[in-house]
């Protein structure tokens, strides 16, 4: 699975999910610190959480990433879009992207993407472009759980 964050200027970013022919790219804003939320959600899954959600705020609209634990330590990722805030129908809507993968693979995918971001820019540049500090502490906790 491909997972990619691209920071833009003035508090905007894009996240890209892809697996095989299925992909989804979405812009989102700094109204929520979704990159940090993503790492923290993965850490909670590693601690045993059955389901986590990460909201990517748009202006207007939102996309919610649902990560649900399945039997055999699989994680089912689903992206749901809503035309306005609070309107992504996670309970009954049709996801715009879905993929299943072993829980053991998810932290490595997320860690690799944030590691790439650190190699390509500094934490100060990240904060200047995103508006929030680089999520170093949750990233380190996730890395510790990978060891």
């Amino acid at each position: 699975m491909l997972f990619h964050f691209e920071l833009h200027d003035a508090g905007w970013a894009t996240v890209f999910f892809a697996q095989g022919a299925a992909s989804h790219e979405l812009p989102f804003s700094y109204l929520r610190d979704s990159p940090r939320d993503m790492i923290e959600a993965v850490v909670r899954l590693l601690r045993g959480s059955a389901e986590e959600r990460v909201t990517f705020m748009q202006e207007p609209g939102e996309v919610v990433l649902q990560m649900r634990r399945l039997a055999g330590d699989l994680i089912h990722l689903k992206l749901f879009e809503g035309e306005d805030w609070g309107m992504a129908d996670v309970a009954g809507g049709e996801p715009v992207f879905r993929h299943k993968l072993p829980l053991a693979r998810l932290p490595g995918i997320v860690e690799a993407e944030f590691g790439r971001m650190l190699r390509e820019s500094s934490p100060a540049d990240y904060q200047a472009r995103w508006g929030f500090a680089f999520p170093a502490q949750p990233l380190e906790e996730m890395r510790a759980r990978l060891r």
Side-chain angles (χ1 to χ4, degrees):
M1 183 184 92
L2 174 66
F3 167 71
H4 178 73
F5 271 118
E6 188 68 39
L7 293 179
H8 308 294
D9 291 328
W12 280 93
T14 302
V15 65
F16 183 76
F17 293 89
Q19 176 60 39
S23 66
H24 193 75
E25 180 177 347
L26 61 111
F28 64 99
S29 77
Y30 68 101
L31 294 175
R32 290 183 65 115
D33 191 3
S34 300
R36 174 182 291 275
D37 293 346
M38 179 74 182
I39 296 171
E40 290 174 346
V42 171
V43 169
R44 286 189 298 272
L45 286 168
L46 290 170
R47 289 182 190 152
S49 176
E51 180 180 316
E52 292 295 326
R53 295 179 183 175
V54 178
T55 301
F56 299 90
M57 302 299 291
Q58 300 172 319
E59 298 180 33
E62 71 178 2
V63 175
V64 175
L65 170 63
Q66 177 191 53
M67 297 180 283
R68 180 177 287 164
R69 185 184 296 267
L70 303 173
D73 268 346
L74 287 175
I75 297 295
H76 197 180
L77 304 174
K78 295 180 184 178
L79 284 175
F80 297 90
E81 288 186 321
E83 292 182 14
D84 206 347
W85 299 337
M87 293 184 66
D89 185 5
V90 176
E94 184 63 30
V96 295
F97 176 83
R98 68 176 78 211
H99 178 61
K100 293 177 186 172
L101 73 159
L103 172 59
R105 285 195 50 228
L106 181 61
I109 291 168
V110 173
E111 192 281 332
E113 181 56 14
F114 281 91
R116 178 199 62 82
M117 292 172 75
L118 269 181
R119 287 188 304 279
E120 293 179 3
S121 67
S122 68
D125 181 53
Y126 178 96
Q127 184 166 356
R129 293 168 67 199
W130 182 233
F132 290 96
F134 185 82
Q137 186 276 327
L139 182 62
E140 186 51 41
E141 183 176 352
M142 188 172 64
R143 286 175 171 162
R145 290 186 173 276
L146 285 171
R147 288 179 236 164

